[in-house]
Amino acid sequence: MAVNLDNLWMPFTANKQFKASPRLFVSAKDMHYTTDDGRQVLDGTAGLWCVNAGHGRAPIVSAICEMAQTLDYAPMFQMGHPKVFEAASKLAAITPEGMDKVFFTNSGSEAVDSALKMVLTYHRAKGEGQRTKFIGRERGYHGVGFGGISVGGIGGNRKHFSANLMPGVDHLPHTLSYEHAAFSRGEPEWGAHLADNLENLIALHDASTIAGVIVEPLAGSTGVLIPPKGYLKRLRELCDKHGLLLIFDEVITGFGRLGTPFAAQYFDVTPDLMTLAKGLNNAAVPMGAVVCKNEIYDTVVNAVPANAIEFFHGYTYSGHPLAAAAACATLDVYRDEQLFERAASLSAHFENEIHKLKDAPHVKDIRNLGLVGGVELNPRDGAIGARAYEAFLHCFYESGVMVRYTGDILAFSPPLIVSEAQITEIFAAVGKALRAVA
């Protein structure tokens, strides 16, 4: 297949390296992609952590096609359409109790920036406009907007833009410890005390100036960092103590990845806001969302006259009809096929298979929870990331399995329709790759 590669500037990609040897998908169905040369590739990453219901699902495709023929676009500024309200209602039915208000965006990055604005607007509506600072976490990923990279903690995402990041942002330490928690199965026993670093930051900045704290319940993009037992509960306690809003970035953990609708329910910790995307509509049409506690919505909406705009924020494509239709269909598939429960039932097999790689060459650590896992490799001297990249290529070309890599970490997050045999196949391919690469 002849494709002109010259014009496209690819995101988060080594463009020169890729275009010298491109990898192109031309179709996808259920658990597999098809490449331009006709090979089947088992999807070990749900696309990009997002195709939780599997590829090309007929109910979702039909819903999008029907909406495209009926209502191609409708503005959401001072107008609306029925499907977006239906999508919000279906989403609110599975969120933690008391979190019933939904604001739609087009991505996780937009959801994060929207949530930060919501927090500032809420404090201002309460007469606490001096609360303007945010606390993120080292190695946190919150998208690529200026707000998201400001509260995020991945150096490579920040360094080129450091002079223009948001002021008034500080960061908690990350929770990874090779000394105390390497090869933990599920939540590490060690590390809950790391949440107490929030007290130090509060003492430094003064609680009255801090608006909120944002963390991923489980940090995905940085290489799968599992929260220690009790860590998130402690963050919740400290935020309550000092009047800070707690934001969970559930762009990766939402929609069944841990066997529950959201990580908030898995860890039994209810945040004040959640940012969502990816699995929200199976990534069929770009969409994100912020879900917040009712009290936040009520405070903001009731702070101004009935004829006044309460929240000066939104997007041209917020609640797009096609995205909303895909969301409604996807949420129905999750419910009808009990995919969240399916993920929970597969988690033990997933854990056993990934930890069989403990004695494979180059393995430094293994981390897992639900249907997400990471295998960290020892880097080569002077060539960080090279070993994982070669393992990624070996899986793709030699075994027909797609995995994800970041630095020297291989990451896994298969669609929730994955079978036990396919889980075994994924990690067998990884073991074969690790034995093959130097």
Side-chain angles (χ1 to χ4, degrees):
M1 178 182 292
V3 177
N4 179 7
L5 306 178
D6 291 342
N7 299 111
L8 180 63
W9 190 342
M10 299 177 67
F12 276 113
T13 297
N15 276 252
K16 289 181 290 186
Q17 182 186 62
F18 178 90
K19 292 178 182 181
S21 182
R23 299 171 296 278
L24 302 178
F25 293 134
V26 296
S27 65
K29 182 62 179 173
D30 297 329
M31 281 296 302
H32 289 85
Y33 282 104
T34 301
T35 65
D36 62 337
D37 58 355
R39 295 188 306 110
Q40 292 286 290
V41 177
L42 178 62
D43 185 359
T45 60
L48 200 58
W49 315 86
C50 50
V51 189
N52 289 7
H55 295 277
R57 300 303 308 275
I60 303 170
V61 173
S62 297
I64 295 170
C65 292
E66 181 179 351
M67 183 57 71
Q69 294 173 332
T70 305
L71 182 65
D72 59 348
Y73 176 78
M76 284 296 294
F77 297 3
Q78 305 291 354
M79 298 297 293
H81 60 92
K83 190 59 72 172
V84 72
F85 290 96
E86 181 186 349
S89 296
K90 285 180 178 291
L91 178 54
I94 62 172
T95 55
E97 184 176 357
M99 299 187 74
D100 297 333
K101 304 303 181 182
V102 180
F103 185 95
F104 284 117
T105 69
N106 308 293
S107 67
S109 294
E110 289 182 359
V112 167
D113 280 12
S114 299
L116 299 179
K117 286 186 175 182
M118 282 184 186
V119 170
L120 296 173
T121 303
Y122 167 79
H123 285 303
R124 189 177 183 88
K126 287 187 65 179
E128 294 186 303
Q130 81 284 354
R131 287 185 179 267
T132 59
K133 297 176 181 177
F134 287 96
I135 306 298
R137 188 169 60 189
E138 295 171 358
R139 297 190 65 169
Y141 180 76
H142 302 293
V144 294
F146 273 96
I149 60 175
S150 297
V151 296
I154 297 179
N157 293 351
R158 295 164 54 91
K159 64 182 179 181
H160 294 295
F161 319 107
S162 58
N164 304 97
L165 300 182
M166 286 170 46
V169 175
D170 212 333
H171 294 79
L172 291 161
H174 64 74
T175 61
L176 179 63
S177 172
Y178 303 112
E179 179 184 0
H180 298 287
F183 298 98
S184 292
R185 289 175 173 255
E187 298 168 77
E189 297 288 342
W190 180 94
H193 65 282
L194 295 171
D196 289 328
N197 284 284
L198 182 57
E199 287 278 29
N200 299 334
L201 296 179
I202 290 170
L204 176 64
H205 296 286
D206 192 280
S208 67
T209 71
I210 302 174
V213 176
I214 180 168
V215 296
E216 300 161 275
L218 178 156
S221 295
T222 191
V224 186
L225 309 188
I226 312 298
K229 289 182 179 178
Y231 174 87
L232 295 172
K233 287 183 181 293
R234 181 59 177 156
L235 281 186
R236 176 74 275 180
E237 292 169 358
L238 293 175
C239 287
D240 289 341
K241 175 182 175 182
H242 295 286
L244 318 182
L245 295 187
L246 178 60
I247 306 169
F248 276 2
D249 186 332
E250 294 239 24
V251 170
I252 284 176
T253 52
F255 305 101
R257 183 54 53 193
L258 302 185
T260 52
F262 302 100
Q265 289 129 329
Y266 181 90
F267 294 111
D268 192 26
V269 177
T270 301
D272 299 294
L273 305 94
M274 296 190 302
T275 58
L276 312 173
K278 296 190 184 291
L280 171 57
N281 66 2
N282 211 41
V285 180
M287 192 178 209
V290 182
V291 175
C292 71
K293 284 186 174 177
N294 302 343
E295 192 263 336
I296 294 174
Y297 173 89
D298 292 341
T299 298
V300 171
V301 168
N302 294 329
V304 300
N307 64 341
I309 295 172
E310 306 97 355
F311 186 43
F312 284 83
H313 181 67
Y315 303 95
T316 299
Y317 303 112
S318 294
H320 191 282
L322 271 63
C328 289
T330 298
L331 293 170
D332 286 346
V333 168
Y334 290 150
R335 179 199 63 210
D336 295 344
E337 299 184 9
Q338 296 185 307
L339 291 187
F340 301 163
E341 294 84 353
R342 176 181 174 79
S345 70
L346 289 168
S347 62
H349 181 72
F350 184 92
E351 178 174 277
N352 288 334
E353 292 300 306
I354 193 172
H355 278 276
K356 287 180 180 179
L357 296 170
K358 181 177 181 179
D359 296 324
H362 318 303
V363 173
K364 179 179 181 180
D365 191 17
I366 296 174
R367 304 180 285 272
N368 73 282
L369 194 67
L371 288 187
V372 60
V375 175
E376 183 161 359
L377 309 180
N378 289 302
R380 289 184 190 145
D381 292 341
I384 293 175
R387 180 170 281 144
Y389 174 66
E390 290 179 13
F392 155 78
L393 290 179
H394 192 282
C395 288
F396 183 82
Y397 287 112
E398 302 301 325
S399 299
V401 172
M402 187 172 77
V403 303
R404 177 167 164 72
Y405 74 97
T406 176
D408 273 297
I409 302 167
L410 300 173
F412 313 91
S413 56
L416 310 186
I417 64 169
V418 67
S419 68
E420 287 193 354
Q422 287 166 336
I423 291 172
T424 299
E425 181 181 352
I426 290 167
F427 293 119
V430 175
K432 180 180 176 182
L434 293 180
R435 290 186 294 272
V437 302

